[in-house]
Amino acid sequence: MILILFGPPGAGKGTQADALKHKLNLLHLSTGDILRDEVSKESELGVLAKKFMDAGELVTDELIIGMIKNKIVSNTNPELGFLLDGFPRTISQAKALDEMLTSNQLKVDKVVSLEVNDSVLIERLLSRGRSDDNEKTIKNRLDVYKNQTLPIKDYYDSSNLLVSIKGDDAIEVVSNNIFKALK
Ligand code: AMP
């Protein structure tokens, strides 16, 4: 199964991914986590990505698509699915994902969209304390989300893959609702 967890920063994608990956035997691929790991290793990719991340801007499609392709192609266990968190974030990433999956006889099975309103998102992000969770960067990340990422919802909705889940309930309630929607 290939599942996309979709939603704005602070919607709870990482938290829900942690619960779902065990239940569904999926490999959790968070582009944000992979990038933060590269930043902490000070790799070439990390150094390049850091500037965008600190500003709350998206890292270039080319870098991100290459990074995800490596992970998907290097999976040797056909039983293991993927749980994508924070990817795709642009229409070009969504199209590139479809292409790389099709050429590996795979496809996206479901896109779970976590719906949370802005005031709750801002409150959650400010309390998280990550280096890119300051007021100025948060505002930019929410703008970037609306302008560049939100159009993906229509892209998946038109292929009937989208399911929307209320994301501001308690963690377990949200997990259960996602689980039910996937059955
Ligand atoms: P996240 O942990 O998903 O909020 O990602 C943190 C930061 O990493 C984002 O603000 C972007 O700068 C970058 N990033 C993560 N995923 C992507 C992606 N799919 N495309 C472009 N940039 C990304």
Side-chain angles (χ1 to χ4, degrees):
M1 175 193 251
I2 299 200
L3 181 65
I4 296 176
L5 266 181
F6 183 83
K13 301 188 293 293
T15 306
Q16 292 303 329
D18 283 338
L20 283 172
K21 66 182 172 191
H22 298 297
K23 277 193 174 174
L24 300 171
N25 190 30
L26 301 174
L27 184 69
H28 179 199
L29 286 183
S30 153
T31 41
D33 285 350
I34 301 170
L35 289 169
R36 279 184 288 279
D37 189 44
E38 296 292 332
V39 170
S40 70
K41 290 194 293 205
E42 296 181 22
S43 68
E44 199 179 331
L45 170 62
V47 172
L48 263 171
K50 189 175 186 315
K51 291 185 207 124
F52 296 100
M53 295 168 81
D54 285 345
E57 295 291 336
L58 294 183
V59 174
T60 60
D61 285 336
E62 201 189 347
L63 280 182
I64 295 286
I65 291 164
M67 210 171 84
I68 284 286
K69 209 177 221 165
N70 279 338
K71 299 279 178 189
I72 291 183
V73 171
S74 63
N75 175 34
T76 49
N77 177 359
E79 297 294 308
L80 192 68
F82 292 101
L83 178 51
L84 299 173
D85 153 12
F87 174 87
R89 253 185 166 91
T90 62
I91 292 278
S92 349
Q93 290 180 16
K95 290 187 174 159
L97 175 65
D98 280 346
E99 277 168 30
M100 70 178 94
L101 292 179
T102 306
S103 57
N104 287 283
Q105 287 83 46
L106 296 166
K107 61 171 179 51
V108 173
D109 293 291
K110 264 288 180 269
V111 180
V112 172
S113 171
L114 293 173
E115 310 288 336
V116 179
N117 70 38
D118 278 8
S119 58
V120 175
L121 292 176
I122 292 169
E123 210 176 289
R124 283 187 184 173
L125 291 168
L126 284 173
S127 68
R128 203 161 68 167
R130 223 166 67 186
S131 69
D132 57 348
D133 285 337
N134 56 73
E135 220 151 327
K136 184 162 168 252
T137 310
I138 289 172
K139 190 185 171 304
N140 197 34
R141 277 154 66 209
L142 292 175
D143 286 346
V144 165
Y145 172 77
K146 277 169 199 155
N147 296 329
Q148 300 187 57
T149 306
L150 209 48
I152 298 182
K153 252 172 100 165
D154 286 340
Y155 178 81
Y156 287 120
D157 199 21
S158 64
S159 354
N160 277 323
L161 293 176
L162 193 77
V163 34
S164 294
I165 302 279
K166 199 164 157 286
D168 52 6
D169 289 322
I171 294 174
E172 305 73 47
V173 175
V174 178
S175 307
N176 274 333
N177 287 338
I178 296 177
F179 207 58
K180 273 190 237 155
L182 294 176
K183 274 199 196 146

